[in-house]
Amino acid sequence: MPFLTTTGVLPVTCEVGLSRSVHAFHIMPGLPGPEGQLHDHDYRIEVVVDREQLDDRGMVCDLDVLEAALTELTSQVEDRNLEEIRPAEAEAVTVEVFARWVHDSLAPVVAAAGGEALAVRVWETPVAFGGYRARC
């Protein structure tokens, strides 16, 4: 459905997204408590999929597919220690590392559903987040 154009340097895109809450634990090694001790957060994961042209159905991607993938992902970490997903090169699972893990986990599903790029924000508090954005 070609109705989008580019303006200036950035292409115009359409987007869809979802958010989901998840309760999980993490630790920040080398810091004093409570951050340096195992502690919990009620994280909010926000995902936004975009593409330059809508598909034949007039969609960026199927939100039901995205929602199922995000539900499956959050079930993997609900009430768990995020050390289980920590990459070997990371000292800790910060919100930025968590966002990258969410992106890398969802990107294949998003690409198969027609999305071109995926942005993830992981909110640790109502006012603080870390994020990661890349093409799928």
Side-chain angles (χ1 to χ4, degrees), residues 26-62:
H26 82 137
I27 189 168
M28 297 296 294
L31 293 180
E35 290 295 315
Q37 300 168 343
L38 187 64
H39 62 283
D40 66 327
H41 290 283
D42 290 315
Y43 294 99
R44 183 168 53 95
I45 300 172
E46 177 182 299
V47 296
V48 178
V49 179
D50 69 43
R51 65 186 283 164
E52 288 188 38
Q53 301 294 325
L54 298 177
D55 67 14
D56 294 340
R57 302 170 297 170
M59 299 169 70
V60 171
C61 77
D62 188 329

Side-chain angles (χ1 to χ4, degrees), residues 41-42 44 95 121-130:
H41 290 283
D42 290 315
R44 183 168 53 95
V95 287
R121 285 186 175 169
V122 174
W123 295 83
E124 187 175 85
T125 72
V127 298
F129 70 89

Side-chain angles (χ1 to χ4, degrees), residues 57-112:
R57 302 170 297 170
M59 299 169 70
V60 171
C61 77
D62 188 329
L63 278 170
D64 291 335
V65 171
L66 183 60
E67 185 172 19
L70 185 56
T71 299
E72 170 62 28
L73 179 137
T74 55
S75 73
Q76 293 175 33
V77 295
E78 180 69 38
D79 292 325
R80 309 283 298 264
N81 184 342
L82 294 179
E83 281 295 302
E84 295 176 22
I85 65 161
R86 182 175 55 84
E89 69 276 5
E91 183 178 328
V93 181
T94 61
V95 287
E96 298 89 347
V97 169
F98 194 9
R100 174 75 186 262
W101 177 80
V102 171
H103 178 278
D104 292 349
S105 298
L106 293 180
V109 173
V110 168

Side-chain angles (χ1 to χ4, degrees), residues 103 116-119 132-136:
H103 178 278
E116 296 172 346
L118 173 62
Y132 185 82
R133 176 184 170 83
R135 295 191 63 77
C136 296

